[in-house]
Amino acid sequence: MLQLRPFNTLGGANHGWLDAHHHFSFAEYYDPQRMNWGQLRVWNDDVIQAGTGFPKHPHRDMEIITYVREGAITHEDSLGNKGRTEAGDVQVMSAGTGVAHSEYNQESTATKIFQIWIMPNETGAAPSWGAKPFPKGDREGFVTLASGKSGDDVSLRIRADARLVAANLKAGESAEYLMDAGRRAYLVPATGSIEVNGLQANARDGVAVEDERVLRVTAIEDSEIVLVDVA
C-alpha cells in the first residue's frame, strides 16, 4: 500500500527566519491521523534563512537525524561537540538521558534540511552525536546513511530498529529498495519527480509505504530521494 501525502497538504508555519513544513504532527500542527509512521515520529522540511537558526534547546530519548539538502548547518551541543554538515551529508544525535544543542545556518544563503526523529528502541542511554559525509556523486542506487540494523557498518549508528537511505537518480534511471515483511517506509523526493511502484510523487511530497516487499523508484526527472525504513 502506498499513500501519497502532497507537499501542499502538510502542516507548518512560516516564521520568516524559518519556513517549516511538517509531515507529522509537530509544534502547533496537530493531525491525529498523522502522529507517526511506526517508529518514525517527525519529518520536518525546514528552510532556514542565512545567519539564523535554532538556539540551544533540550532533547531527551529520541534519535534525531538531520539530512542537509542545500547549504550547511552548524551544530553545537552540551556534550562539547561542534560540527558543520553540508549538502548531502548527515548528522545524528542520540538524545538519550538528555542533551541541549543549537543549529545555525552560518552560510550566506538559505539552508534546506530534513529533520527526522525516530523513537529509540530503549530509553535512558547516554547521549551522543556524530556526522559523516556522503557525496551525492558516490551513490549508486540506495545508499545507507544511518542505521540501527546489524550489517550496516558503513553508516552512522542510531539506537532504533530503523534505516535511513538515499539515492540520486538521473531522469529515466531506476533503483530498487527491498523491505522485510511487516515493516513500513516513508519516502520523500527532496528534488525532482519520481514514480514509485506506479505512484507519482513530486519534490517534497511524502509517500507512506506498508505491505510492500519491493519498492521500485524511477526518476521522471533528475531526483534526490530520501527514505526511512522502520518497524
Side-chain angles (χ1 to χ4, degrees), residues 26-47:
F26 187 85
E28 300 302 315
Y29 167 60
Y30 173 72
D31 181 342
Q33 302 303 313
R34 295 187 180 181
M35 291 303 298
N36 62 290
W37 190 245
Q39 285 180 271
L40 176 60
R41 175 61 188 87
V42 168
W43 190 309
N44 288 345
D45 179 324
D46 292 340
V47 180

Side-chain angles (χ1 to χ4, degrees), residues 3-4 17 30 35 46 54 59 62 67 72 77 79 98 107 112 125 129 133 146 155 165 175-176 184 214 219 226:
Q3 180 187 92
L4 180 67
W17 67 273
Y30 173 72
M35 291 303 298
D46 292 340
F54 301 94
H59 291 283
M62 191 66 70
Y67 180 96
D77 64 39
L79 303 175
E107 314 305 309
K112 300 178 181 180
W129 177 85
S155 64
V165 301
E176 289 189 349
R184 297 179 176 185
V214 180
V226 184

Side-chain angles (χ1 to χ4, degrees), residues 48-213:
I48 306 166
Q49 295 303 313
T52 68
F54 301 94
K56 187 170 284 188
H57 58 282
H59 291 283
R60 185 183 180 92
D61 288 325
M62 191 66 70
E63 303 300 293
I64 299 174
I65 303 171
T66 303
Y67 180 96
V68 183
R69 296 149 48 205
E70 293 183 22
I73 198 78
T74 298
H75 166 100
E76 187 169 348
D77 64 39
S78 54
L79 303 175
N81 297 305
K82 297 181 181 180
R84 177 180 176 275
T85 306
E86 57 188 41
D89 300 341
V90 177
Q91 67 174 13
V92 169
M93 187 172 73
S94 295
T97 54
V99 61
H101 76 139
S102 62
E103 289 183 302
Y104 281 99
N105 173 12
Q106 297 181 349
E107 314 305 309
S108 59
T109 59
T111 286
K112 300 178 181 180
I113 65 172
F114 288 147
Q115 190 167 92
I116 298 164
W117 295 14
I118 300 173
M119 292 178 276
N121 292 341
E122 59 184 64
T123 59
S128 65
W129 177 85
K132 190 171 182 178
F134 293 96
K136 296 181 183 183
D138 292 349
R139 299 177 189 174
E140 293 187 10
F142 282 102
V143 175
T144 301
L145 309 180
S147 178
K149 299 177 71 64
S150 61
D152 293 340
D153 296 333
V154 298
S155 64
L156 290 162
R157 302 304 296 173
I158 56 175
R159 299 170 182 156
D161 183 11
R163 176 189 288 132
L164 172 74
V165 301
N168 286 74
L169 301 177
K170 298 291 186 182
E173 292 181 343
S174 297
E176 289 189 349
Y177 182 80
L178 305 181
M179 296 184 62
D180 293 334
R183 295 185 68 83
R184 297 179 176 185
Y186 199 81
L187 179 155
V188 180
T191 60
S193 179
I194 64 172
E195 185 177 274
V196 51
N197 289 11
L199 177 71
Q200 183 172 338
N202 299 317
R204 304 165 80 185
D205 291 347
V207 179
V209 180
E210 62 179 343
D211 298 327
E212 301 278 347
R213 296 302 297 272

